[in-house]
Amino acid sequence: AQSVTQLGSHVSVSEGALVLLRCNYSSSVPPYLFWYVQYPNQGLQLLLKYTSAATLVKGINGFEAEFKKSETSFHLTKPSAHMSDAAEYFCAVSDLGGGSNYKLTFGKGTLLTVNP
Amino acid sequence: DGGITQSPKYLFRKEGQNVTLSCEQNLNHDAMYWYRQDPGQGLRLIYYSQIVNDFQKGDIAEGYSVSREKKESFPLTVTSAQKNPTAFYLCATQDKGNTIYFGEGSWLTVV
């Protein structure tokens, strides 16, 4: 069974500082990994997706994530935080061992606060 | 405009009442999902459907029902058997690359 652990339910950074949101996963087969962002009262928006091509994945809004198989990690980073980055971020894993469309398993989310 | 439309955005339910949340998509995706979101708990899967006229229970299906009579539509009924229905409900579709796309969500409150 697949699972996702997001370390830190709340991360606070200053504007212009590095953003690092941590995600570790477990999966019995090579996974697909995702990061989503959610603004208040809205649905989730895809930031980026790892699909076993390049291990460093670039997404929207200047975010990127690196897949590290040895550490079973997929941490999300952004070099310089903007006030508009304040939101909740979700990591998710999809087990494609079944060979067809399949459900994602989500982490519990990390709330990012950006201080002026 | 392409996408996923959930309605209503806000819904109030009286004790003992069934309510239905609508989800319509024009993305031509086969797979559709319903998630429930509670603060601090992330997203939990209620039901999913990979094709018309077929659907499967997720992790928290008790007290909920769905139908999938058309590819475009996947309504969720919250029945009176669901004892704690107050939550944010998210409908989603999945493309053939396994990316999931979400609607804007519906708030359900018990009054």
Side-chain angles (χ1 to χ4, degrees):
Chain A
Q2 59 204 29
S3 67
V4 174
T5 302
Q6 291 185 239
L7 300 174
S9 60
H10 187 193
V11 170
S12 182
V13 301
S14 298
E15 192 173 18
L18 171 72
V19 175
L20 171 60
L21 305 181
R22 300 177 186 273
C23 173
N24 288 90
Y25 71 92
S26 68
S27 176
S28 57
V29 297
Y32 278 17
L33 293 158
F34 305 79
W35 275 101
Y36 286 85
V37 60
Q38 184 180 34
Y39 299 99
N41 292 329
Q42 295 186 22
L44 280 68
Q45 179 184 3
L46 180 68
L47 274 179
L48 50 80
K49 170 182 172 180
Y50 167 75
T51 60
S52 76
T55 56
L56 183 62
V57 182
K58 294 187 183 299
I60 62 171
N61 301 340
F63 284 93
E64 62 182 36
E66 186 173 9
F67 173 69
K68 292 187 177 180
K69 184 178 178 180
S70 60
E71 299 177 8
T72 60
S73 69
F74 191 57
H75 302 332
L76 182 71
T77 60
K78 181 174 180 178
S80 175
H82 285 196
M83 296 296 290
S84 60
D85 294 327
E88 190 156 22
Y89 292 80
F90 292 91
C91 181
V93 61
S94 172
D95 181 349
L96 293 181
S100 62
N101 285 2
Y102 206 64
K103 59 187 175 127
L104 296 189
T105 298
F106 286 85
K108 295 193 173 185
T110 298
L111 181 65
L112 175 66
T113 302
V114 181
N115 303 308
Chain B
D1 223 13
I4 303 164
T5 302
Q6 289 188 240
S7 61
K9 180 69 175 180
Y10 299 96
L11 185 60
F12 298 90
R13 191 193 93 167
K14 294 181 181 179
E15 295 283 351
Q17 192 178 45
N18 293 354
V19 294
T20 297
L21 305 179
S22 171
C23 178
E24 302 282 330
Q25 58 112 347
N26 61 6
L27 301 171
N28 200 34
H29 292 165
D30 287 318
M32 297 187 73
Y33 300 79
W34 275 105
Y35 288 90
R36 170 178 171 146
Q37 186 176 23
D38 297 278
Q41 298 218 36
L43 277 70
R44 294 183 290 170
L45 182 65
I46 306 173
Y47 268 98
Y48 63 102
S49 168
Q50 296 193 352
I51 198 166
V52 175
N53 292 322
D54 184 60
F55 49 83
Q56 307 294 330
K57 292 182 179 180
D59 302 318
I60 57 163
E62 185 175 351
Y64 300 97
S65 66
V66 293
S67 63
R68 187 83 188 277
E69 298 176 0
K70 299 186 302 181
K71 187 175 186 176
E72 300 79 16
S73 179
F74 192 41
L76 174 73
T77 297
V78 185
T79 75
S80 57
Q82 172 48 243
K83 297 307 178 189
N84 184 23
T86 296
F88 190 50
Y89 290 87
L90 288 159
C91 178
T93 68
Q94 188 176 37
D95 67 15
K96 293 193 184 304
N98 286 291
T99 299
I100 286 190
Y101 302 88
F102 287 86
E104 290 297 299
S106 293
W107 281 103
L108 174 62
T109 303
V110 174
V111 297

